[in-house]
Amino acid sequence: MNVISIREMTKEDMEKILQNAAEIASGKRKPDLRGKILATLFFEPSTRTKLSFQSAAQRCGMNVLDFLTEQSSLKKGETFTDTIKTISGYADVLAIRHPKEGSVRFASDVTNKPVVNGGDGGNQHPTQTLIDLFTIKQLKKKIDGLNVYLVGDLKHARTMRSLLYALCMFGAKVTVVAPKGLEMERSYVEEIEAKFNTKVAKTNEMDIKDADVLYICRIQSERFEDPLEAKRVTEKFRLTKESLIGSKEELAILHPLPKINEIDAEIDRMPQAKYFEQAHNGIPVRMAVLEYVLKR
Ligand code: NCD
């Protein structure tokens, strides 16, 4: 069983993973995956996804192989395909991150081992979405009917693309807020609206008064063609204490992290800021994901 795109997961499977993650988080049970090996292959920088996958695996009794691109035979010119085929013989599950959209699916075509997508370019980041859903459920006890605002570089952020799909599937009322020029691809949003018979509100203004959840991400500067343009938007785009005036008292602010410039440091100290809690939820959720892909 692979986890490549949130669009291929059933609601039932997602609910099962979230339920298992809740039991793991509460200490009720722990997946027993002793004797299994996780290989992490990250062709793009990562702090949370890679380390929480490794930590989750170890907490399930697994061992971990960390493929380091800079010290590998990729440097001698070996191909991605040969790399995946080789490591497939050394591990039982592969967690892969790659800058190119579609490359993790490609990897899953050349191995018979389960593959988990740790982010492919600006396309998908399904396990982050499971963490986001888990966090929202823990904080709000539901997803259905919540007003969720997705704010930031929606053109390039894979976290947002995956999350929008899942939120609509779970019945949230979503508003997408992007700086001009960084809106999410229209055809993608329309496909989701049609599939789940819903309407996603779209704006360029930060008016979040009725938000129950505000989910913000950084400007994805590495995916811009023009670095100066990325710098210009990054400097302008910022959530401040003032932007929260008039917002709901029990608003939850989430962020997949890393945050650069887009959240005022003061907000970190406010009770609404839940993003470090969210990052820590990566452990039970990824433990449940490893169990899901290995036990089926
Ligand atoms: C995100 C990613 O890599 O897409 N980080 C993460 O996995 N928590 C978000 C980002 O880099 O902006």
Side-chain angles (χ1 to χ4, degrees):
M1 174 60 69
N2 298 319
V3 175
I4 308 283
S5 167
I6 208 79
R7 293 158 81 182
E8 293 161 358
M9 295 185 81
T10 63
K11 195 173 180 199
E12 250 182 357
D13 277 354
M14 287 160 74
E15 277 170 342
K16 186 81 199 131
I17 292 174
L18 297 178
Q19 171 68 32
N20 286 342
E23 286 175 15
I24 294 165
S26 72
K28 256 198 221 155
R29 65 180 200 95
K30 189 154 110 178
D32 181 3
L33 302 175
R34 274 176 294 182
K36 301 282 186 195
I37 297 177
L38 165 74
T40 47
L41 297 88
F42 279 58
F43 297 80
E44 254 192 0
S46 169
T47 296
R48 276 150 290 272
T49 306
K50 186 164 101 166
L51 290 185
S52 66
F53 256 120
Q54 294 182 343
S55 172
Q58 287 170 8
R59 285 167 197 262
C60 295
M62 298 174 69
N63 288 310
V64 173
L65 291 179
D66 193 14
F67 174 76
L68 302 173
T69 52
E70 288 302 304
Q71 293 161 32
S72 74
S73 288
L74 285 174
K75 291 276 133 190
K76 302 179 191 168
E78 187 166 33
T79 62
F80 180 65
T81 308
D82 287 0
T83 304
I84 300 296
K85 282 185 177 168
T86 303
I87 295 174
S88 296
Y90 303 158
D92 301 291
V93 49
L94 279 58
I96 305 176
R97 167 173 288 185
H98 198 283
K100 216 162 157 198
E101 287 85 12
S103 51
V104 181
R105 181 180 309 285
F106 177 78
S108 73
D109 288 340
V110 298
T111 172
N112 54 0
K113 297 292 166 64
V115 170
V116 183
N117 185 359
D120 63 321
N123 184 28
Q124 286 281 317
H125 197 345
T127 61
Q128 180 64 49
T129 291
L130 291 166
I131 295 167
D132 302 339
L133 297 178
F134 179 84
T135 306
I136 294 173
K137 266 193 142 176
Q138 275 214 327
L139 294 169
K140 302 287 179 192
K141 310 291 170 240
K142 62 169 192 174
I143 298 173
D144 188 24
L146 286 179
N147 288 321
V148 182
Y149 281 60
L150 302 182
V151 183
D153 177 358
L154 307 186
K155 181 177 178 184
H156 302 107
R158 54 195 174 202
T159 50
M160 295 297 200
R161 278 171 68 90
S162 289
L163 183 57
L164 176 66
Y165 184 94
L167 286 172
C168 291
M169 179 191 241
F170 279 81
K173 288 186 253 161
V174 185
T175 302
V176 287
V177 189
K180 276 221 161 57
L182 295 181
E183 295 88 356
M184 197 176 289
E185 191 188 329
R186 185 194 284 247
S187 59
Y188 183 74
V189 180
E190 284 173 355
E191 183 196 318
I192 293 173
E193 289 178 325
K195 176 150 197 188
F196 298 113
N197 191 22
T198 183
K199 206 78 208 145
V200 175
K202 304 158 193 87
T203 168
N204 301 108
E205 304 303 324
M206 187 92 93
D207 178 4
I208 49 143
K209 286 192 185 53
D210 70 344
D212 300 300
V213 176
L214 189 165
Y215 189 106
I216 183 168
C217 76
R218 73 186 167 93
I219 303 295
Q220 312 274 304
S221 44
E222 71 276 31
R223 304 202 201 289
F224 276 63
E225 274 162 30
D226 176 1
L228 285 178
E229 173 62 5
K231 189 163 179 280
R232 191 186 65 78
V233 203
T234 304
E235 279 164 6
K236 258 185 40 193
F237 173 63
R238 199 173 177 79
L239 184 73
T240 61
K241 256 181 131 173
E242 286 67 51
S243 9
L244 299 178
I245 291 172
S247 65
K248 290 190 181 176
E249 208 174 304
E250 65 285 4
L251 170 73
I253 304 174
L254 301 182
H255 192 309
L257 301 176
K259 58 186 173 65
I260 313 302
N261 222 18
E262 63 282 4
I263 295 196
D264 220 276
E266 272 186 315
I267 293 183
D268 285 2
R269 290 188 291 273
M270 295 174 66
Q272 290 95 324
K274 305 290 186 193
Y275 26 87
F276 288 105
E277 203 175 302
Q278 179 187 3
H280 296 155
N281 287 336
I283 299 295
V285 173
R286 290 196 165 111
M287 286 170 78
V289 167
L290 288 169
E291 182 182 42
Y292 169 78
V293 296
L294 282 167
K295 293 244 159 127
R296 283 172 57 128

